[in-house]
Amino acid sequence: MSLRDCVPLLRRRGERPKIHVADLLGEAVAGLAERPLRTALTSLGTVLGIASLVATVGISRTAGAQIVARFDALAATYVVAEPRSDNFGSSAPKTSSIPWDAQARIERLNGVIAAGTLSDVNVSGAIVRSVPVRDPLDPIEFQKTVKAASPHLFLAVHTRLATGRIFDQPMNDAAAQVAVIGRATAADLGITRVEQRPVLFIGDRPFEVIGIIDDVAREPDLLDAVIIPNHTAEALYRLGAPGSVRIDTVIGAARLITVQTPLTLDPVDPTRIQITADGEPTAVRNGVQSDLNSLFLALGLLILAVGAVGIANITLVSVIERTPEIGLRRSLGASRTHIATQFLTESGLTGLIGGTIGTTVGILVTLGVAAGRQWTPVLPPTLPLLAPIAGAIIGLLAGLLPARRATHLEPIEALR
């Protein structure tokens, strides 16, 4: 028996009519089914809002996971070995701590991708310039950091060249007077290409520039430095031993490498080697993930608010068009609560339908973006369940104002 059949019987008994859940849902479904196009357009706002919310959350989680994974891989696979300082703050003798063949020794360890030595070179205040003779009227000279490196250092610190090449082992063995410079140094000296074999001068000593570094993931100081081969620094500037070893490892091998490196570099007294390894950067990772989630969540909520306004507008128009129906229901004994419940149920169902469809669309968009970028899709496990509920809640909230307006219609005025 429908609500319309129950109301006259209840009035004859002198009782307040009661509305049943089954009747309420039936009336709501019937009301929505009578206007399928309007229902579809009303749900469209929720579909777009929920789809945007799910997609933005899913894409932000997926993108954040990729960024964090790359950051973790960069930080957790880098090991630095240096001579340990004594109790008085002076460094231990480098000749007995890090040998010249440290690169070859370390690269024999399992789990090492690349290793290279890096040292600060004391050039006694020599100025770096791009012309052989100093011109007092137009000096093109700079106080630059000069560093010595083994050839594989550039692999260990993830260097990307803008042009040219890096020096190799034969150049290092021959103490060739060649140099690789960072992009900041190249800009200062006015060197953009290396095809013409440009030369820079450290003091009065010429060095052929064979490569320009465009970017480096680790050791950003190299972008504003001049890097020369190890044995060149040994021959020209009396570098006694490498200052440190930079090691790039596979994921998961850093802890083992930190144990093996001191024994490999100094078997006589491994305690003279100090190891620095970046652990799992939890705080930074969580900060990156939180910032991405907040940004995309705010965008999704904004779009969802637009959808809620659309539901409210359409529901309000529906109240206006159904004014005679509301008057008839009130004259037959329907209370204000019945009328409000009727419209709230319709708007809630509209939001639930839109939320369900929107959730599906949002998940498909997330999967599509992840597949296109060859990422692993990441979605919160509760999102597919909570998003349709969020759509229903949005629908209920959007229907509050129209339902309130419907309950304040007087039966006589409504019928008139």
Side-chain angles (χ1 to χ4, degrees):
M1 184 177 294
S2 68
L3 179 63
R4 293 186 178 89
D5 297 328
C6 291
V7 169
L9 295 176
L10 293 173
R11 286 182 60 84
R12 285 198 297 269
R13 296 179 183 178
E15 301 175 1
R16 286 187 61 83
K18 295 181 180 180
I19 189 167
H20 298 283
V21 175
D23 291 330
L24 181 62
L25 292 176
E27 291 290 335
V29 171
L32 296 176
E34 288 177 1
R35 304 169 181 83
L37 181 59
R38 173 174 294 179
T39 301
L41 293 176
T42 306
S43 300
L44 184 60
T46 310
V47 170
L48 295 177
I50 294 295
S52 300
L53 181 62
V54 172
T56 50
V57 171
I59 293 174
S60 69
R61 287 291 184 92
T62 302
Q66 299 303 314
I67 293 173
V68 168
R70 292 182 181 181
F71 185 83
D72 286 353
L74 188 64
T77 58
Y78 193 45
V79 178
V80 178
E82 298 175 302
R84 186 180 299 276
S85 298
D86 59 23
N87 296 332
F88 300 98
S90 62
S91 295
K94 293 185 178 181
T95 55
S96 62
S97 299
I98 298 181
W100 287 111
D101 63 344
Q103 172 180 301
R105 293 188 185 189
I106 297 298
E107 288 185 341
R108 286 196 291 265
L109 299 177
N110 289 331
V112 174
I113 297 176
T117 60
L118 181 65
S119 313
D120 292 323
V121 179
N122 182 9
V123 295
S124 302
I127 299 298
V128 177
R129 60 181 188 272
S130 58
V131 292
V133 180
R134 180 180 181 185
D135 185 356
L137 299 179
D138 187 21
I140 306 178
E141 55 188 29
F142 301 89
Q143 189 75 48
K144 291 292 182 181
T145 301
V146 179
K147 293 183 178 291
S150 62
H152 289 183
L153 171 81
F154 302 97
L155 297 177
V157 298
H158 293 194
T159 299
R160 186 177 71 227
L161 288 176
T163 184
R165 54 173 294 193
I166 61 175
F167 46 80
D168 52 22
Q169 193 61 44
M171 290 181 180
N172 184 37
D173 295 338
Q177 289 187 223
V178 295
V180 175
I181 60 177
R183 65 165 183 250
T185 299
D188 290 339
L189 298 177
I191 300 174
T192 58
R193 307 295 299 175
V194 298
E195 289 83 356
Q196 302 300 322
R197 304 178 69 178
V199 175
L200 62 81
F201 294 83
I202 303 176
D204 295 327
R205 292 191 174 102
F207 291 82
E208 180 186 345
V209 178
I210 62 173
I212 299 175
I213 298 174
D214 179 59
D215 194 16
V216 58
R218 300 158 173 163
E219 307 299 332
D221 292 345
L222 296 181
L223 295 176
D224 194 26
V226 178
I227 306 107
I228 62 177
N230 269 342
H231 293 308
T232 304
E234 180 187 17
L236 299 180
Y237 299 104
R238 298 182 179 180
L239 180 65
S244 64
V245 183
R246 267 55 176 174
I247 307 169
D248 183 28
T249 73
V250 298
I251 296 177
R255 181 174 298 180
L256 178 61
I257 298 303
T258 59
V259 175
Q260 295 177 339
T261 296
L263 291 170
T264 304
L265 296 178
D266 193 347
V268 176
D269 188 2
T271 60
R272 289 185 291 184
I273 301 296
Q274 178 178 340
I275 301 297
T276 303
D278 294 327
E280 185 180 2
T282 305
V284 177
R285 181 189 62 201
N286 293 340
V288 171
Q289 185 72 71
S290 178
D291 290 342
L292 284 173
N293 289 344
S294 299
L295 175 63
F296 285 102
L297 184 60
L299 179 61
L301 291 176
L302 178 62
I303 299 174
L304 190 59
V306 174
V309 172
I311 293 178
N313 289 335
I314 299 295
T315 307
L316 189 59
V317 171
S318 178
V319 170
I320 296 173
E321 289 187 351
R322 295 167 66 181
T323 298
E325 176 188 339
I326 295 171
L328 179 61
R329 289 174 178 269
R330 290 296 309 281
S331 65
L332 293 177
S335 65
R336 296 178 186 272
T337 302
H338 295 159
I339 300 299
T341 305
Q342 176 72 28
F343 281 95
L344 287 175
T345 303
E346 290 185 10
S347 61
L349 282 176
T350 302
L352 181 62
I353 294 171
T356 303
I357 298 174
T359 301
T360 304
V361 172
I363 292 175
L364 292 177
V365 169
T366 301
L367 295 177
V369 171
R373 302 287 298 180
Q374 295 183 345
W375 291 346
T376 301
V378 178
L379 276 172
T382 57
L383 188 61
L385 299 177
L386 295 180
I389 297 176
I393 293 175
I394 292 297
L396 289 173
L397 294 177
L400 287 177
L401 181 60
R404 183 177 182 277
R405 177 166 182 172
T407 59
H408 283 73
L409 291 175
E410 294 296 333
I412 300 300
E413 295 296 329
L415 290 173
R416 184 178 300 173

